[in-house]
Amino acid sequence: MEDVLRILMSGEYVSGAQISSDLGVTRAAVWKRIEQLRALGLKVESAGRRGYRLTDCADCIMAPIIERNLHTAWAGRPVIYRQTIGSTNQYARQLASQGAAHGTLVVADEQTAGRGRRGRAWISPAGEGVFFSLILRPSLHPSLVPHLSLITALTAYDALVAIGIESAGIKWPNDVVANGKKVSGLLLEMDANEQEIEHIVVGIGFNVHQQTFPEEIEKTATSLDLVRGKRVNRAELVCAFLQAFEARYDDLNQNGMDKQMETYVTRSVTIGRKVQVVGTGEQFIGTATGIDESGALKVTDEDGNERTVLAGDVSVRGLMGYV
Ligand code: BTN
């Protein structure tokens, strides 16, 4: 399907015969792929012998559409699209272990086994959200790797600003929230051997078009359409994310985390709040006071002890609600 789309991206009429000869497939196969594109919401006009013309890409996130609006050097190069997939993170890890390049993006319309943090599932209904994973082969100094999760959250926030949402915040460590509910979740997974990190997969899910949510998350989740009050274009969102991520990643590499940490603190909705920290063993209540240089959350508990909370270990909830 993407091969036909790539040919139609010129916006000009292309005859069925031309497409079939360019791709070395039958006219019937071309017609079938055009129908599949239409089923995804793309508008393809047909006019007798003149052939087919793409008039509207709608909300499509296939590779040719993302690539057309992408102005990055490495992030999203290449883009690999799947209409449906188990988990983009899982597939990206598989591709990375087979040698896929730094910057490769796997993006899907639907995940049937989307993974969340701390072993939870990430509900990923077809066409409602956007689910993607970026493969990194870190040229980063190992001491900067823990900061990747924070710069990914900063980037998700940047992407929201780029599409006109200014009211977001970051719930430590890396949930992006708006109107007190989560719009985006991030899952970083790393494969390493004894000597070095082989690759890191940065996985991001945005709730985009949902108007309602399953009962188990309806109190804590919202979508970008609901926050913006206007339909969001998913390809624009992905491009905005990749653009900002590349800039933040390169900056982290060159200048370290200090500046970006300052930005993180200004965008944090956790710092200054009373929170409940729930770990595998104990749980306690305290006030979040800041982030240390490694990205851990500093919390002063009710006895006045300053404690440091690591992202992998706990869930942090506000006392008055999700944030
Ligand atoms: C969280 O629990 O907040 C993290 C959710 C991460 C979901 C994204 S969707 C794309 C990528 N593929 C996955 O299986 N998970 C991540």
Side-chain angles (χ1 to χ4, degrees), residues 85-90 106 111 113-118 120-124 130-133 174-175 182 184-189 201-206 322:
I85 200 167
S87 152
T88 56
N89 260 33
Q90 194 260 328
V106 178
Q111 294 185 121
R115 303 207 286 238
R117 282 179 62 227
R118 309 180 75 230
R120 286 186 292 242
W122 182 258
I123 301 170
S124 314
V130 66
F131 317 106
F132 56 95
S133 301
N174 56 21
D175 289 348
K182 178 161 165 170
S184 148
L186 317 173
L187 177 67
L188 275 73
E189 297 184 287
V201 166
V202 176
I204 302 101
F206 283 100
Y322 174 65

Side-chain angles (χ1 to χ4, degrees), residues 14-156:
V14 189
S15 71
Q18 180 73 54
I19 302 174
S20 113
S21 102
D22 283 0
L23 298 178
V25 299
T26 63
R27 296 282 295 273
V30 170
W31 180 80
K32 198 171 154 209
R33 289 175 206 182
I34 299 271
E35 286 304 302
Q36 286 170 335
L37 291 173
R38 287 177 172 151
L40 280 175
L42 287 96
K43 300 237 171 348
V44 184
E45 279 178 10
S46 39
R49 275 183 315 176
R50 296 177 77 191
Y52 301 103
R53 184 164 75 113
L54 178 67
T55 57
D56 186 357
C57 298
D59 191 36
C60 175
I61 50 170
M62 273 186 261
I65 292 175
I66 292 180
E67 285 160 4
R68 183 181 58 179
N69 296 313
L70 197 58
H71 306 286
T72 54
W74 56 264
R77 308 217 174 256
V79 175
I80 297 170
Y81 164 82
R82 292 286 179 272
Q83 196 171 345
T84 181
I85 200 167
S87 152
T88 56
N89 260 33
Q90 194 260 328
Y91 186 51
R93 282 174 82 175
Q94 188 184 323
L95 292 177
S97 70
Q98 293 161 2
H102 175 76
T104 302
L105 183 83
V106 178
V107 60
D109 261 312
E110 176 188 38
Q111 294 185 121
T112 52
R115 303 207 286 238
R117 282 179 62 227
R118 309 180 75 230
R120 286 186 292 242
W122 182 258
I123 301 170
S124 314
E128 297 278 288
V130 66
F131 317 106
F132 56 95
S133 301
L134 188 62
I135 296 174
L136 301 177
R137 298 192 173 277
S139 48
L140 281 182
H141 190 273
S143 66
L144 293 172
V145 169
H147 299 301
L148 275 180
S149 149
L150 304 186
I151 69 151
T152 307
L154 283 170
T155 305

